[in-house]
Amino acid sequence: PATPAEPGEPATPAEPATPAQPAVPESEVAPQDRPTDKLPAELVAGLTELEAAAAAASEVGEPLRTLEALPVLAGAYGVSLSRAGTYADHLPAAWSEGAFENGKLPKGLLCPLSFAPDALLRCDAAAALEDLAVEYRKHFGTDLEVVSSYRSFEQQVLVKASRGWLAATPGRSNHGWGIAVDLGGFGGVGQFDSPRYQWMRENAPAFGWDHPTAMRPGGSAPEEPWHWEFGTE
């Protein structure tokens, strides 16, 4: 408002309002300020496919529940299912059920994969995936593409911030137990007709790996054909 004038003097005009600053486009945000630039290379490599999955999900008529509603599944700590039990001797002697927190597993108790050395998994899950990968390679002539494997709690925080509903709440992801992988080349949300997905559904359970029931068609979680878990249901 204008400042009241003394008698006989003109009123001082009000200062114009400062215009609101426009939002900075994401493309102009400094790289260090973007969540994805803080992610490890194994996660960044898979973001393109997840972006396509998110785009596909926006075209789905029915609303999808987020992974926040998906509980930690049976067998997340130990090898409780008989189909995975044959790999139990690959667990290190230091492994103790319930001794660790989700996303805070000692790296020394995790094992890399020969065909994806940047990936880390609980050692029994890694041994089983190695055997499964041999059969996959025989059939497709190429290795399984592991986009994401074990994630620390901090990495899951960043993934959740970047991926939103497609990522589990930190502390509740089976990636944090080292028993989950995201695989490349398996299609987007709700796509279950790819040859790779169908082959895995038929063959992976023999090695203790499977596509979680909740993520299959009609399940209670986002229908992610790329997400596979060891020793869960």
Side-chain angles (χ1 to χ4, degrees), residues 11 51 65 96 134-135 168 178 191 204-205 219:
E51 289 286 1
R65 293 174 60 187
S96 176
V134 170
E135 301 305 316
Q191 182 179 345

Side-chain angles (χ1 to χ4, degrees), residues 38-123:
K38 301 176 184 178
L39 296 175
E42 66 168 4
L43 298 183
V44 175
L47 292 183
T48 300
E49 185 169 345
L50 292 184
E51 289 286 1
S58 67
E59 301 176 3
V60 177
E62 293 186 22
L64 297 174
R65 293 174 60 187
T66 72
L67 281 180
E68 293 181 17
L70 184 65
V72 173
L73 301 175
Y77 283 105
V79 186
S80 61
L81 301 183
S82 59
R83 62 188 178 182
T86 56
Y87 293 94
D89 58 353
H90 289 273
L91 285 170
W95 185 270
S96 176
E97 183 174 336
F100 308 108
E101 296 181 47
N102 187 297
K104 298 182 180 180
L105 306 184
K107 290 292 182 70
L109 297 185
L110 298 171
C111 291
L113 299 169
S114 62
F115 59 92
D118 291 335
L120 290 174
L121 289 171
R122 202 175 69 184
C123 292

